[in-house]
Amino acid sequence: MKALLCETFGPPETLVLKEVADLVPEEGQVRIATEACGVNFPDTLIIENKYQFKPDLPFAPGGEVTGIVDAVGNEVSQKLLGIPVMCMTLSGGFAEQTLCKAEDLIIRPHSMPSIIAAGFTMTYGTSMHALKQRAQLQSGETLLVLGAGGGVGLAAVEIGKQMNATVIAAASSAEKLKAAQDAGADHLIDYSQQDLRSALKDIVGKKGVDVVYDPVGGDLFEAALRSTAWGGRVLVVGFASGDIPKVPVNLALLKGCSIVGVFWGAFRLNYTEKDNENFKELFAWYAQGKLKPFTSKTYTLNEAALALNDLKNRSAIGKLIIQISS
């Protein structure tokens, strides 16, 4: 099989496409004939050894996989063979075959094509967990989504609307804001042109926003924190800006607000049944046409380095997908 390998830690250009031996599932594992793999910000960190998950070299990056189960290990039901599935693997996805624990599989809805499925698991799983379990977003509350043109950002906009929140989408370009508007955002802020705090005050007044969803970090975090309502929740989702913010913690005291970490991967690992319930709800919304995942570009396996750089440069809108087989 072909796999795009990280043989030494470094930028995307150091990845090498190679022919390697077929994978053999061990006890409790399945092998997926990979159809497509989502591209996510952690992928850019893992290949440079800057992420908390550190796989042994060599490895194929890519952790958001969809495909067909084509082999099973011992203690795994043969009934899984031929089933379309989705799975988070942390690594291994930029390859024609991927191994996954059988217990980690999510059965792919029949109505969901592989290009959509490859970009659904992490973005919607993260945003659902963030807004439902971590923020406990309530109907009628105001939700500010930073980085609203990216994959998790657009998912947060859509889910926020399904939870009956008023959604303020903030992003760095008119193109990204158009995508957020199409996803249902009620208000738009271009923070490359507007001061975030002033723009928020024009929308919500002195009250502030109830929930902040922040996958960006950097200077925007403190500005958003200062714009929260009393009892607000600020969700720490990621640091796409490359800058982990440091803020005066007395702001949380003065605002009576919470700064809440969101680590969906750990939630799925430790509370799999609750996460499966989240996905049942997400799949129902998708089947009803209430969620419309947006993929802006697909790449071949040979073009995966380009996809990673597009993500690093924050030029992507919605999801970027590596299409591995038709």
Side-chain angles (χ1 to χ4, degrees), residues 3-288:
L4 190 70
L5 297 179
C6 177
E7 296 182 319
T8 181
F9 292 114
E13 292 78 13
T14 61
L15 298 174
V16 181
L17 186 63
K18 284 192 171 182
E19 191 77 29
V20 298
D22 285 351
L23 301 177
V24 178
E26 297 180 356
E27 184 174 313
Q29 289 185 323
V30 303
R31 186 178 71 196
I32 300 169
T34 315
E35 294 178 336
C37 185
V39 184
N40 295 291
F41 187 66
D43 299 329
T44 69
L45 300 177
I46 290 170
I47 62 173
E48 296 192 30
N49 201 26
K50 295 179 180 178
Y51 196 63
Q52 55 262 36
F53 170 69
K54 300 181 185 297
D56 294 331
L57 296 170
F59 66 92
E64 189 177 20
V65 172
T66 191
I68 307 294
V69 175
D70 72 346
V72 298
N74 292 334
E75 305 299 324
V76 178
S77 172
Q78 295 283 321
K79 292 180 180 179
L80 284 173
L81 290 170
I83 298 294
V85 294
M86 304 150 69
C87 188
M88 290 302 301
T89 59
L90 289 174
S91 67
F94 291 0
E96 292 178 330
Q97 298 171 355
T98 311
L99 294 178
C100 177
K101 292 180 181 179
E103 62 194 34
D104 293 340
L105 294 174
I106 299 172
I107 304 302
R108 189 171 90 206
H110 291 295
S111 62
M112 185 179 286
S114 60
I115 293 299
I116 296 297
F120 195 93
T121 316
M122 178 173 281
T123 48
Y124 286 88
T126 295
S127 295
M128 186 69 160
H129 168 53
L131 297 179
K132 186 175 181 179
Q133 280 86 26
R134 302 302 287 152
Q136 297 183 28
L137 181 66
Q138 301 298 306
S139 177
E141 288 192 316
T142 304
L143 167 66
L144 168 64
V145 180
L146 302 177
V152 291
L154 287 174
V157 170
E158 288 190 310
I159 293 168
K161 291 306 300 176
Q162 291 308 308
M163 298 174 79
N164 297 312
T166 296
V167 178
I168 304 169
S172 60
S173 73
E175 275 187 311
K176 293 177 180 179
L177 288 173
K178 175 63 168 60
Q181 185 177 44
D182 292 344
D186 299 288
H187 304 278
L188 308 175
I189 298 173
D190 184 342
Y191 46 66
S192 71
Q193 305 292 327
Q194 299 169 270
D195 176 74
L196 181 64
R197 294 201 66 206
S198 297
L200 287 171
K201 191 173 182 181
D202 289 341
I203 296 168
V204 298
K206 294 182 179 180
K207 177 182 179 295
V209 297
D210 297 298
V211 175
V212 175
Y213 181 100
D214 181 17
V216 180
D219 294 339
L220 292 173
F221 183 86
E222 183 171 338
L225 176 60
R226 289 180 180 274
S227 298
T228 55
W230 176 263
R233 290 84 77 201
V234 182
L235 299 170
V236 181
V237 182
F239 312 103
S241 68
D243 180 15
I244 299 175
K246 299 175 177 61
V247 297
V249 294
N250 67 311
L251 290 174
L253 183 152
L254 295 171
K255 291 281 184 180
C257 69
S258 304
I259 299 173
V260 186
V262 178
F263 189 177
W264 170 69
F267 172 73
R268 175 151 187 85
L269 180 65
N270 292 295
Y271 301 96
T272 306
E273 286 305 312
K274 284 186 178 180
D275 195 53
N276 286 340
E277 290 173 10
N278 284 355
F279 274 97
K280 285 180 183 177
E281 193 167 4
L282 289 167
F283 290 154
W285 287 339
Y286 175 80
Q288 295 162 13

